[in-house]
Amino acid sequence: MSESVDGAVLVLNAGSSSLKYQLVHPESAEVIADGVAERIGDHDGSITHSQGGDESTETLELPDHTAAIRRMMELFTSGGIDLAHAGLSAVGHRVVHGGRTFYWPTLIDDHVISEIKRISSLAPLHNPANLTGIEAARELLPRVPSVAVFDTAFFHGLPDAAATYAIDRGVAKLHAIRRYGFHGTSHQYVSEQVPPILGQDPATVNQIVLHLGNGASASAISGGEPIDTSMGMTPLEGLVMGTRSGDIDPGVVLHLHRVAKLGAEQIDTLLNKNSGLKGLCGDNDFRSVTERIGRGDTSARLAYDVYIHRLRRYIGAYMIDLGRVDAITFTAGVGENAAGVRADALAGLENYGIAIDPERNAVHRKDARQISTDDSTVRVLVVPTNEELAIARQAVEVVARSEPESGSGT
Ligand code: AMP
């Protein structure tokens, strides 16, 4: 079976206790297999693997990411694919923070690893986890080139006015404090799908992309270049998310420290893990939130209203940022599936040339589609994101560029 795998890319997304993976053909977008290992580091780890229409889940102890990747490789072997000898063209790693060092997908070597380590202080929850995945893959698949694809890269050229926090410039410079933006792979992938749908030259398109998943972010993009985005130095800024607060008065953080006597770690946990929809109503899954609203639950209603209020505020800001908007696009779990969120986010904006067609919006489909009326000046679209495919394609490009000589360009 290995010949069908020739040229495929193994995409790895290593979190602190999880590892998501997908084996995908970068050209055809065919997913050969995928899976997720969870609770890595606990006794009761688990791994779910899907290949050739079969899905299996097993519970087992996965002491670290190397163990998870080793088990993943065994599962591939049971399905007839020997990853180490299958002719993979690359392993593509999602790396959350590229700091000011990495603007492009980058072939990984020892120097790149030490640079990613160096900037880990900017993303202490994410980059070290990403690195464990990189190190494990390099150990277990030493002959396959590894490429890092950075979540911040797409936003590296944000205009200074959008990227700069209004704090002491010396302090900001010393500690690399600026707005980096995240979910860049998704914003880039989705925004590139839009011009052909509009039938417009990409260089002329002004668009807003709303990535609404468990994490959520918005971006304003003009001629393919982001001019603003809602996430900042970390993925905590901006929209209300499943478990993250999004924008908050920094004075609240000081108050939590001085008056509530919470330490940095506790505040970090509060704002990253126990806020957003979960903090407001106890549930971070949008389906449960909407279902509870249907039953008259007032805390779920408030959570939803706060979520929509923040989203509309960003849409308004980006309409002004862009001046003229050709398209507003919804993507990710909530954006692709929750018709009610799309309708509420853009309700009452007919005077701004934005009109959703309720029937088109209600249709549930997996492909890219228009949900605005034919006479809406701004086209409203739903475009499924595919970060794994984007990572795979970028990884292959980097490997092709680096041959015959490999380098670690940033
Ligand atoms: P993601 O992070 O892109 O996987 O998105 C996860 C979020 O999408 C969760 O909050 C899910 O509840 C939400 N989601 C997935 N399917 C639906 C659906 N059919 N309706 C509403 N929300 C959904």
Side-chain angles (χ1 to χ4, degrees):
M1 200 192 276
S2 279
E3 60 274 18
S4 66
V5 178
D6 201 30
V9 176
L10 178 67
V11 178
L12 294 183
N13 183 354
S16 53
S17 63
S18 70
L19 174 84
K20 287 192 202 136
Y21 59 88
Q22 186 177 100
L23 184 65
V24 59
H25 269 299
E27 276 169 37
S28 67
E30 181 205 347
V31 175
I32 302 159
D34 60 8
V36 59
E38 291 172 295
R39 292 183 301 283
I40 296 171
D42 279 356
H43 313 290
D44 61 339
S46 74
I47 184 160
T48 299
H49 182 81
S50 309
Q51 189 175 332
D54 294 330
E55 180 173 295
S56 65
T57 299
E58 61 182 17
T59 45
L60 74 172
E61 189 169 349
L62 294 168
D64 53 28
H65 286 75
T66 310
I69 294 185
R70 195 170 275 131
R71 184 64 197 137
M72 171 197 80
M73 288 174 69
E74 287 166 5
L75 290 166
F76 270 104
T77 307
S78 318
I81 296 174
D82 173 5
L83 281 182
H85 303 97
L88 300 189
S89 50
V91 182
H93 296 270
R94 174 173 186 235
V95 180
V96 167
H97 217 306
R100 297 293 281 159
T101 313
F102 297 105
Y103 292 168
W104 318 107
T106 302
L107 193 67
I108 296 171
D109 58 17
D110 292 343
H111 171 68
V112 170
I113 289 185
S114 55
E115 273 300 296
I116 296 175
K117 273 190 191 140
R118 197 180 59 78
I119 54 182
S120 280
S121 60
L122 287 168
L125 298 179
H126 297 100
N127 275 29
N130 304 151
L131 274 168
T132 57
I134 290 174
E135 282 168 343
R138 291 218 314 158
E139 181 190 334
L140 298 172
L141 295 166
R143 291 212 294 254
V144 186
S146 278
V147 175
V149 178
F150 298 91
D151 232 23
T152 47
F154 182 54
F155 298 112
H156 80 269
L158 274 187
D160 286 345
T164 307
Y165 288 113
I167 62 168
D168 181 278
R169 289 187 71 186
V171 173
K173 188 153 193 271
L174 187 61
H175 298 288
I177 296 170
R178 53 165 270 148
R179 306 189 64 253
Y180 292 92
F182 297 85
H183 287 155
T185 310
S186 177
H187 284 276
Q188 181 174 10
Y189 176 84
V190 170
S191 62
E192 285 173 0
Q193 315 295 309
V194 170
I197 299 174
L198 303 184
Q200 230 176 294
D201 175 357
T204 67
V205 175
N206 277 355
Q207 54 175 316
I208 296 173
V209 175
L210 304 168
H211 175 113
L212 309 177
N214 209 5
S217 59
S219 65
I221 300 170
S222 178
E225 299 294 331
I227 61 164
D228 210 346
T229 193
S230 60
M231 285 177 167
M233 177 172 136
T234 76
L236 187 52
E237 191 179 338
L239 302 176
V240 174
M241 307 181 216
T243 64
R244 288 177 235 159
S245 62
D247 292 338
I248 192 167
D249 176 352
V252 173
V253 176
L254 302 177
H255 186 83
L256 287 169
H257 179 60
R258 289 200 196 110
V259 179
K261 305 287 179 216
L262 299 189
E265 295 309 319
Q266 290 168 301
I267 297 173
D268 194 324
T269 305
L270 176 76
L271 297 181
N272 273 299
K273 300 231 156 59
N274 294 324
S275 294
L277 297 173
K278 184 175 176 203
L280 288 168
C281 73
D283 243 319
N284 66 311
D285 191 305
F286 227 95
R287 284 163 289 204
S288 326
V289 175
T290 15
E291 197 229 313
R292 283 172 54 186
I293 292 171
R295 287 192 267 118
D297 184 318
T298 51
S299 62
R301 178 81 244 174
L302 178 65
Y304 183 85
D305 290 347
V306 175
Y307 182 97
I308 296 289
H309 176 261
R310 183 82 51 83
L311 183 57
R312 286 172 66 90
R313 186 193 274 182
Y314 270 89
I315 294 167
Y318 290 173
M319 283 165 63
I320 301 295
D321 263 356
L322 289 163
R324 182 202 84 239
V325 182
D326 299 300
I328 299 177
T329 304
F330 290 88
T331 194
V334 176
E336 290 167 33
N337 296 300
V341 169
R342 298 192 295 254
D344 290 338
L346 299 177
L349 300 180
E350 291 77 9
N351 284 345
Y352 295 91
I354 302 172
I356 286 192
D357 178 323
E359 277 174 26
R360 288 179 183 170
N361 188 32
V363 173
H364 199 80
R365 289 209 326 248
K366 286 272 171 224
D367 52 345
R369 61 201 184 275
Q370 176 180 327
I371 56 166
S372 46
T373 60
D374 289 336
D375 52 10
S376 177
T377 338
V378 178
R379 304 268 290 273
V380 183
L381 308 175
V382 177
V383 174
T385 191
N386 193 340
E387 287 168 282
E388 289 78 13
L389 181 62
I391 289 172
R393 288 185 172 162
Q394 294 185 26
V396 167
E397 267 177 44
V398 170
V399 172
R401 268 207 310 272
S402 69
E403 282 164 352
E405 206 176 72
S406 64
S408 62
T410 56

